Every structure is written in structure tokens, then in C-alpha cells.
């Protein structure tokens, strides 16, 4: 995958997160993609990723801001670094998140996402 193509997909990821759009997020993944959040069970397939997004993003987050910082590409692997802020409406917290995400590529989509992040939480 070329870097500009990876950046476009990650920008779609950011837009889907900010707009809390489960239909948009699945457009960047292959049918059999896996989505790994270290604090959640592994999600396999677009339907599971969409359900995770509905539960986690729509159900628990609001006022999301996503800033892509860096993207590195090595053939079928993409590493992205970003900063995000959001309100955790379930726990009534303000969250700042720095994340590194590792994507595997299949064709022109992501076939896997592994997230690793550090969060700072403050009361609203």
C-alpha cells in the first residue's frame, strides 16, 4: 500500500470516529478483518467491528476530536500515530488519548487493526 492510500483510509477512520458512523468505519476493512483493542475481546469480521463501534463509540463517547500525527508504511503493514480527545459519557470523564495503531493490509483495505494507547482521564 502506498502512504497516500494509507493516509486516506486512516482519515476515513478519524472521520468515522468523530461522526460516530458505524457504516463508514466498516468501509476501510476487509470482510474478514480483525479489530484488536487491548481492553476488549477480539472483533472478527465487519459485522463484529460495526457492533463494537456501536457499543463503544456511539454508546460511550461524544465530542470526539481526532488528529493524525504520523503514518509509516512498509508493504502490507501500516503504523499510525494519533491523538484524540473525547467525552466518556458512560463514566462522565474527559479523555485524552495518544495511540499507535498497527494495520495489516489486504488489497486496498485494512485486514487487521491492533490498537495500543495511553489515556489521561479527568472528571467532566
Amino acid at each position: 500500500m502506498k502512504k497516500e492510500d494509507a493516509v486516506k483510509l486512516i482519515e476515513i477512520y478519524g472521520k468515522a470516529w468523530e461522526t460516530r458512523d458505524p457504516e463508514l468505519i466498516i468501509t476501510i476493512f476487509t470482510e474478514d478483518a480483525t479489530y484488536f483493542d487491548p481492553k476488549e475481546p477480539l472483533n472478527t469480521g465487519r459485522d463484529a467491528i460495526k457492533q463494537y463501534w456501536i457499543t463503544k463509540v456511539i454508546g460511550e463517547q461524544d465530542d470526539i476530536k481526532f488528529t493524525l500525527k504520523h503514518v509509516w508504511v512498509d508493504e502490507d503493514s501500516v503504523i499510525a500515530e494519533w491523538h484524540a480527545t473525547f467525552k466518556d459519557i458512560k463514566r462522565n470523564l474527559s479523555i485524552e488519548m495518544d495511540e499507535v495503531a498497527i494495520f495489516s493490509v489486504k488489497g486496498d483495505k485494512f485486514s487487521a487493526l491492533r490498537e495500543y494507547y495511553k489515556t489521561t482521564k479527568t472528571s467532566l
Side-chain angles (χ1 to χ4, degrees), residues 7 17 26 38 44 55 57 64 71-72 81 83-85 93 99 102 112 124:
V7 168
W17 194 9
I26 62 172
T44 301
T55 302
V57 176
I64 302 155
V71 176
W72 299 272
E81 178 185 15
H83 179 80
T85 60
L93 296 171
E99 179 165 333
I102 303 168
L124 288 174

Side-chain angles (χ1 to χ4, degrees), residues 48-105:
I49 293 168
K50 181 178 177 179
Q51 189 56 51
Y52 166 81
W53 208 258
I54 290 168
T55 302
K56 201 76 177 155
V57 176
I58 294 172
E60 299 181 12
Q61 300 174 0
D62 196 14
D63 195 24
I64 302 155
K65 294 184 180 41
F66 173 90
T67 305
L68 183 60
K69 295 169 78 175
H70 302 286
V71 176
W72 299 272
V73 177
D74 184 17
E75 296 181 22
D76 62 352
S77 296
V78 175
I79 300 171
E81 178 185 15
W82 60 71
H83 179 80
T85 60
F86 57 90
K87 291 177 187 170
D88 181 327
I89 55 179
K90 185 176 178 183
R91 298 181 294 168
N92 202 32
L93 296 171
S94 178
I95 307 290
E96 281 203 48
M97 174 185 282
D98 290 301
E99 179 165 333
V100 172
I102 303 168
F103 297 90
S104 297
V105 176

Side-chain angles (χ1 to χ4, degrees), residues 34-38 99-104 112-116:
T34 58
Y35 192 118
F36 172 78
D37 176 329
E99 179 165 333
V100 172
I102 303 168
F103 297 90
S104 297
L113 164 59
R114 296 183 314 274
E115 300 183 306
Y116 302 97

